[in-house]
Amino acid sequence: MPNLTLIQAVNAALRQEMERDETVVCLGEDIGRNGGVFRATEGLQEKFGAERVIDTPLTESGIIGTSVGMAANGLRPVAEIQFEGFLSSGFDQIVSHVARYRTRTRGSYPMPMVIRSPWGGGIHAPEHHSDAPEAWFVHQPGLKVVIPSTPYDAKGLLISAIRDNDPVIFFEPKKIYRSFRQTVPDEEYTVPIGKASVLTEGTDVTLLTWGALTRPCLKVVEALREETSLELIDVRSLSPLDDETIIGSVQKTGRAVVVHEAPRTCGVGAEIAARIMEKAFLSLKAPVLRVTGYDTIMPLHKLENHYIPSQDRIIACIRESLAF
Amino acid sequence: MATARETVVNRPAAKKPAAEPAPSVKSTMPTKTVFSGSIQYVQILNENGDADRAALPDLKDAEIVKLYEAMTLVRLFDQHAFLLQREGRMSTYAPSSGQEAIQVASALALKPTDWMVQAYRENGALAIRGIPLENVLLYWGGDEAGNFCELDKRTLPIAVPIATQLLHAVGVAHAMRIKGEKDAVIAFSGDGSTSEGDFNVALNWAGAFKLPVVFVVQNNQYAISLPRSQQTAAQSIAQKAFAFGIEGVQVDGNDLFASYKIASEALKKARRGEGATLIEAVTYRLSDHTTTDDASRYRTQEEVESWKKKDPILRLRKWLTAQKLWDDAKEAALAERNKAEIKAIIHRFESAPQPDIADMFRYTYEEMPPHLQEQLDAAKKAAGQ
């Protein structure tokens, strides 16, 4: 079995699904001849041709809006938006149509499409290239939102997303695109959408996170090993959320800390905290705490490390929870 | 594109186009013209009901009579839908009175394997396409079941955000290209849509990929209250086609014959793989924007009356009468038939069952996730079910 980086796992998933199902097509800016600015679609146009791996004109609204029509006419488009910050150019098509078409047409015209986009900060990129806007899409009914944090999950979740008959926003944490390798099966497999992943089992505090922050959180689990037993959960599927795993864990530990790089107010941490309060209130020994990006615009990279939750901030928050 | 004689239509005083484009830099450097173009206006049947016989489209007399009958039914339907709203039996409705010719003509030119993409005012097109008109009432009456989306109709549902549906049309056409289908897509929008980003994105994409889309912009002179002259400084909407490397033509949208001929030719061209066309259909919105609008706030009754003289139904009746294909007795009989049909349509609309609370939930996703099931249970409980 090969050891793949996350970006290679994405490429493998696209390649295998396009082989298996001729209705799967890829479209986006610079994804064909150039193989994508992160090389996610490297080699695909060579293999499948320019009709199925489409270099589009420069328009996010166009990429997403035409994907709606392609889906209506029997294709399964996988649209790439070059950076998460440019999703806003196609936002109208996403929330006005992609999310609504199944409802609007009573199921006659579902939207079996994937919108995949490099997501999140930490690579010293310009403005609009480091954001975490998942909450906008989690808040929109009719969409699914997934964020893998490992190569294994990336391939399995992307295959699930492509096969899903509902629209999936697939965020790829660009900070960890190439930062580590993992054994990824050669053959096709799926990771189910709607299920979180318990990375480490523990008894004292439930630590909930997703995306690139799973890496520092794993280090925090190790750093605090003598002090406390942490249950680290990669939420992975932000919409729909895996209530069963999340609530089950908090009922066991009695304490919860949510860590996300997105801005604090109305981030998905707020939704998770609300659900924990509703369903596990009597299990709680401390309020649900959050370590998040600030309610400011994501800074340019000189201040990036002060914005994105650091190991120190996460550790301080866990101790705050334990001391309550 | 076949042309008939040019006719000056109701337009503000146009600037004379320059014979030779002036160089942008006054110098002695040699220049060459890299682009020039012109837009043709097409009319066959004028407002007096006179038509150039030689230019008539390929339609049998019986077909033309049927189209006349369809237009009158749609007009009557419009009037009754308005009344239903005023009586509180239906909510906000977007009337299409005045625009029957271009809509009926465009839909008629479609094959069953072509696709139709609408905005929200295309009742005439829906009727010809075979969509039951009670579905229109159901939709505006507050029930998604009115979105008539049997797959074999190849007709996309009502799209409210202006111009966004044009990208869907382009996507349908792009899928045709990928699948090797030799069909075409017609995409309706209005003069207001041409200011939206998606209009430009859609035409550009259709041009860049040479897709089989026919864009029919119904220039009914108003985007709610904004007159066409304030929407864009372009002399015509049709000329915007040049910006995207596609063909553009302006047609009298109240002329059934010219509308049908132009639409047919554009669709045939598209099916042959020769690319997209922008048709600007010059027409007029005889009613208000919707039943919540009051057009008298921003336009004069004189203007409305002047356009009533150009009514698409009126001129066709004149032509049919002159051809001895129509008379008062036939008109009276038609009025009775239409009245009965409208009554049946309204009855079917009002007999539709109240939607189930579960309908709010069951179409959000293919499979209902646990959190939605919980919410559905709570909603039912709150409703005492």
Side-chain angles (χ1 to χ4, degrees), chain B residues 95-169:
Chain B
S96 52
S97 286
Q99 299 173 221
E100 293 85 357
I102 180 63
Q103 292 183 8
V104 159
S106 302
L108 183 71
L110 290 169
K111 289 187 173 156
T113 49
D114 292 329
W115 286 68
M116 189 171 109
V117 177
Q118 57 174 321
Y120 52 79
R121 201 192 292 286
E122 279 74 40
N123 301 324
L126 296 178
I128 297 296
R129 193 77 168 144
I131 309 296
L133 283 174
E134 59 263 28
N135 283 6
V136 174
L137 297 178
L138 261 177
Y139 175 84
W140 295 108
D143 190 342
E144 284 90 344
N147 264 326
F148 53 76
C149 280
E150 302 126 56
L151 287 178
D152 63 356
K153 286 281 186 280
R154 289 186 162 94
T155 302
L156 292 187
I158 282 175
V160 171
I162 301 296
T164 55
Q165 75 278 6
L166 300 178
L167 284 174
H168 310 161

Side-chain angles (χ1 to χ4, degrees), chain B residues 9-331:
Chain B
V9 88
N10 185 44
R11 256 193 299 207
K15 291 166 257 176
K16 280 221 173 69
E20 182 66 37
S24 55
V25 175
K26 276 196 170 16
S27 78
T28 54
M29 283 168 59
T31 64
K32 65 175 184 186
T33 301
V34 293
F35 172 79
S36 65
S38 68
I39 290 292
Q40 303 305 307
Y41 173 79
V42 184
Q43 183 192 67
I44 296 172
L45 177 70
N46 70 17
E47 67 188 68
N48 298 321
D50 299 323
D52 182 350
R53 255 260 158 221
L56 284 179
D58 191 13
L59 285 170
K60 297 187 181 49
D61 288 345
E63 283 178 290
I64 299 173
V65 168
K66 277 211 136 26
L67 291 172
Y68 173 77
E69 294 179 350
M71 285 163 67
T72 58
L73 179 68
V74 169
R75 176 70 61 93
L76 188 65
F77 171 84
D78 222 40
Q79 289 160 359
H80 278 266
F82 173 85
L83 289 174
L84 282 175
Q85 191 276 336
R86 287 294 189 258
E87 290 166 17
R89 291 156 73 186
M90 196 179 68
S91 4
T92 306
Y93 169 75
S96 52
S97 286
Q99 299 173 221
E100 293 85 357
I102 180 63
Q103 292 183 8
V104 159
S106 302
L108 183 71
L110 290 169
K111 289 187 173 156
T113 49
D114 292 329
W115 286 68
M116 189 171 109
V117 177
Q118 57 174 321
Y120 52 79
R121 201 192 292 286
E122 279 74 40
N123 301 324
L126 296 178
I128 297 296
R129 193 77 168 144
I131 309 296
L133 283 174
E134 59 263 28
N135 283 6
V136 174
L137 297 178
L138 261 177
Y139 175 84
W140 295 108
D143 190 342
E144 284 90 344
N147 264 326
F148 53 76
C149 280
E150 302 126 56
L151 287 178
D152 63 356
K153 286 281 186 280
R154 289 186 162 94
T155 302
L156 292 187
I158 282 175
V160 171
I162 301 296
T164 55
Q165 75 278 6
L166 300 178
L167 284 174
H168 310 161
V170 170
V172 167
H174 202 139
M176 285 177 181
R177 174 186 154 133
I178 292 170
K179 294 196 281 176
E181 290 167 353
K182 301 276 181 257
D183 305 303
V185 186
I186 221 166
F188 290 105
S189 68
D191 42 294
S193 78
T194 65
S195 298
E196 280 280 5
D198 280 358
F199 173 84
N200 298 281
V201 175
L203 267 66
N204 188 56
W205 192 295
F209 286 100
K210 208 168 182 179
L211 295 177
V213 190
V214 175
F215 297 97
V216 177
V217 172
Q218 294 168 75
N219 173 7
N220 65 13
Q221 310 306 320
Y222 285 92
I224 306 187
S225 66
L226 195 73
R228 153 65 185 91
S229 57
Q230 289 178 37
Q231 193 66 248
T232 174
Q235 274 180 271
S236 71
I237 287 169
Q239 75 200 53
K240 290 173 187 262
F242 288 124
F244 306 111
I246 67 175
E247 189 161 352
V249 62
Q250 197 185 64
V251 69
D252 182 342
N254 287 357
D255 169 359
L256 181 73
F257 297 147
S259 297
Y260 177 70
K261 208 166 174 192
I262 291 294
S264 301
E265 286 174 6
L267 285 165
K268 284 185 191 140
K269 173 181 154 139
R271 293 186 205 111
R272 289 194 302 267
E274 290 169 20
T277 305
L278 169 61
I279 299 174
E280 176 188 356
V282 180
T283 179
Y284 193 76
R285 196 193 72 207
L286 286 176
S287 307
D288 303 326
H289 164 66
T290 65
T291 45
T292 61
D293 179 42
D294 174 11
S296 68
R297 291 165 63 88
Y298 52 81
R299 65 187 193 184
T300 64
Q301 195 51 37
E302 286 80 42
E303 183 186 287
V304 178
E305 292 306 319
S306 77
W307 275 93
K308 277 184 177 167
K309 296 199 182 97
K310 305 182 225 234
D311 189 315
I313 293 174
L314 184 62
R315 67 172 81 176
L316 187 59
R317 182 178 170 182
K318 285 179 182 167
W319 184 84
L320 285 169
T321 306
Q323 302 302 311
K324 307 279 190 272
L325 294 169
W326 202 252
D327 56 43
D328 288 346
K330 287 195 162 85
E331 183 76 18

Side-chain angles (χ1 to χ4, degrees), chain A residues 136-147:
Chain A
W136 297 343
F137 304 101
V138 171
H139 186 62
Q140 174 59 52
L143 299 175
K144 297 184 182 178
V145 181
V146 299
I147 310 182

